[in-house]
Amino acid sequence: GAGVSQSPSNKVTEKGKDVELRCDPISGHTALYWYRQSLGQGLEFLIYFQGNSAPDKSGLPSDRFSAERTGGSVSTLTIQRTQQEDSAVYLCASSLGRHDWGYTFGSGTRLTVV
Amino acid sequence: SQKIEQNSEALNIQEGKTATLTCNYTNYSPAYLQWYRQDPGRGPVFLLLIRENEKEKRKERLKVTFDTTLKQSLFHITASQPADSATYLCASPRRDAGNMLTFGGGTRLMVKP
């Protein structure tokens, strides 16, 4: 597609439920990134996929968070047993993977845990 | 640990003036810096990249400088317009992983007509 697509755009879930967030990157972009942004805060890195390499999971805040990228394209971020502190906007970005290339971000998924 | 910081206070300026936003980094020397614009409810949009061996980069009304001595980048918008109102983020590559970016907290710019 023309841009990075994320779904759903908004998600309200009850504490303790699992959620899945989807990211469809730009075709041909080998690198895919997940960040989250809490209200009024900067972007917090979560996980990074580059081609067929093992993902860099160093930013995942707990083992309740996991992500996969199937076929080098679509990625899913899963949060198990959601907590209120998980409420944030989850942003996905993709890039060509060159070390100095800008990212293209999606519009994000706003997650609210009640 | 490496840090990248922006002034968290909003910058209010009058239309037509030049807006100048600051990005400071500590404890490392990034090979490049990037600047993004973020509007409410949207993801950041890439604007400019400047490399460590470049003093200045321009794009239309935008100008970015990179001072490796001061460990600082300045982002200028000349002849500012109300439509320039947004949050501006600077970002630098992580020292341990060149493709991944660390973002500053952003500075909100408000241009008044």
Side-chain angles (χ1 to χ4, degrees), chain A residues 35 37 48 97 99-100 103, chain B residues 32 36 38 49 51 99 101:
Chain A
Y35 286 80
Q37 188 173 34
Y48 158 52
H99 69 90
D100 59 353
Y103 291 5
Chain B
Y32 59 88
Y36 290 76
Q38 187 174 24
L49 178 150
R51 295 182 174 79
N99 284 356
L101 296 177

Side-chain angles (χ1 to χ4, degrees), chain A residues 61-94:
Chain A
S62 77
D63 58 8
R64 297 186 295 105
F65 288 72
S66 63
E68 62 177 22
R69 188 179 185 190
T70 53
S73 180
V74 172
S75 177
T76 302
L77 177 69
T78 301
I79 309 173
Q80 296 178 312
R81 304 181 302 282
T82 51
Q83 304 294 313
Q84 288 186 330
E85 61 263 29
D86 299 334
S87 296
V89 175
Y90 288 81
L91 289 162
C92 174
S94 69

Side-chain angles (χ1 to χ4, degrees), chain B residues 7-61:
Chain B
N7 190 346
S8 59
E9 289 185 20
L11 177 63
N12 294 291
I13 64 168
Q14 204 66 35
E15 181 176 9
K17 299 292 186 183
T18 296
T20 298
L21 287 71
T22 303
C23 176
N24 295 295
Y25 57 92
T26 54
N27 298 329
Y28 73 120
S29 298
Y32 59 88
L33 292 169
Q34 297 186 10
W35 284 87
Y36 290 76
R37 168 184 173 141
Q38 187 174 24
D39 290 285
R42 312 288 293 179
V45 174
F46 172 70
L47 296 175
L48 280 168
L49 178 150
I50 185 166
R51 295 182 174 79
E52 61 180 339
N53 61 350
E54 297 175 317
K55 296 293 184 190
E56 181 180 298
K57 182 74 73 75
R58 292 176 184 263
K59 179 182 176 182
E60 299 172 350
R61 293 184 297 111

Side-chain angles (χ1 to χ4, degrees), chain A residues 33 35 37 40-43 45 48 50 56 58-59 91 97-108 110, chain B residues 31-32 34 36 38 41-46 49 51 89 93-94 96-106:
Chain A
Y33 315 83
Y35 286 80
Q37 188 173 34
Q41 302 297 311
L43 276 69
F45 165 74
Y48 158 52
Q50 172 61 59
D56 183 327
S58 60
L91 289 162
R98 282 176 40 171
H99 69 90
D100 59 353
W101 208 258
Y103 291 5
T104 302
F105 280 88
S107 291
R110 180 175 297 278
Chain B
Y32 59 88
Q34 297 186 10
Y36 290 76
Q38 187 174 24
R42 312 288 293 179
V45 174
F46 172 70
L49 178 150
R51 295 182 174 79
L89 306 167
R94 274 175 39 170
D96 55 344
N99 284 356
M100 285 187 285
L101 296 177
T102 298
F103 285 82

